[in-house]
Structures are given as C-alpha cells and as structure tokens.
Amino acid sequence: MLQDTGADFVFAWPNAKVTLVGAPTAASVIFAKEIRDSKTPAETSAKRIQEYVDLFENPYRGAERGFIDDIILPGETRKQINRALDILQNKSETRPWRKYSNINL
C-alpha cells in the first residue's frame, strides 16, 4: 500500500538521498547479529552500511515503488516545475480541511 504524500508531483535529482532512517542506524539494526558475530565488526559494519546506501538511499527505489514521479537532472528542474505548474493551473480539487494535517514532531 502506497502512502499518499498529498503532493501532486514528486521529483528528485539523481543524487538525492531518500531515506527515513540513515544507513548507519538501519544497518546496525538489520545486521546487528552478523556485525556482532563477525571477526572484524568494523569492517562488516562498513560493508553493510555501504550496501544499504547503494540499495536504499537513492531516489530510484522510491521511483520504482511509485513514491517519486520522476527523477530529473538538476538543469531540468525549472522546466519540470513550470510544466507541473502549467498542468495544475486550473486545478480546483482540494483536500478536505483537517485541523492537524501533519503529525507533531
């Protein structure tokens, strides 16, 4: 199930870091037993952190899952935003009013 962000369009640059939890934290939890039992924990940890970065901390995974509409080059940003604004120029649909639309952090 995809979570709706409420945005009409979501764009990302190819080098964007897209993550909920940083790679060091995620790898230390996911691979805790492997790192703990390793003969060289620091090396194993570094390897697993890099693996996590390569697999998950990029916009391509989000685009595959439909969270990101398009991955654009930085030089194309202005053109893409203009296109999106042109598409939304006559948009009249809005979301229902909610007192608390964002969670308190």
Side-chain angles (χ1 to χ4, degrees), residues 10-23:
V10 177
F11 301 116
W13 291 342
N15 62 346
K17 184 185 262 189
V18 181
T19 183
L20 293 174
V21 177

Side-chain angles (χ1 to χ4, degrees), residues 4 52 63 68 84 93-94:
D4 183 15
Y52 188 88
I68 297 171
E93 177 186 331
T94 60

Side-chain angles (χ1 to χ4, degrees), residues 11 13 71-83:
F11 301 116
W13 291 342
I71 299 170
I72 61 173
L73 297 174
E76 298 288 315
T77 302
R78 185 180 304 246
K79 183 169 39 172
Q80 292 293 338
I81 290 174
N82 285 334
R83 283 184 186 160

Side-chain angles (χ1 to χ4, degrees), residues 8 88 90-96:
D8 292 303
L88 298 172
N90 297 319
K91 179 181 175 183
S92 60
E93 177 186 331
T94 60
R95 291 182 173 263

Side-chain angles (χ1 to χ4, degrees), residues 5-90:
T5 62
D8 292 303
F9 295 101
V10 177
F11 301 116
W13 291 342
N15 62 346
K17 184 185 262 189
V18 181
T19 183
L20 293 174
V21 177
T25 303
S28 70
V29 172
I30 296 168
F31 304 109
K33 186 174 183 338
E34 179 183 345
I35 293 168
R36 186 180 60 243
D37 295 344
S38 173
K39 292 180 182 178
T40 55
E43 185 179 311
T44 303
S45 178
K47 177 182 162 197
R48 289 304 192 174
I49 288 170
Q50 188 57 49
E51 181 181 334
Y52 188 88
V53 167
D54 294 342
L55 287 174
F56 299 109
E57 277 194 355
N58 61 65
Y60 299 102
R61 185 67 73 163
E64 285 175 4
R65 295 181 176 187
F67 296 117
I68 297 171
D69 295 313
D70 199 5
I71 299 170
I72 61 173
L73 297 174
E76 298 288 315
T77 302
R78 185 180 304 246
K79 183 169 39 172
Q80 292 293 338
I81 290 174
N82 285 334
R83 283 184 186 160
L85 291 174
D86 286 343
I87 291 169
L88 298 172
Q89 182 176 8
N90 297 319

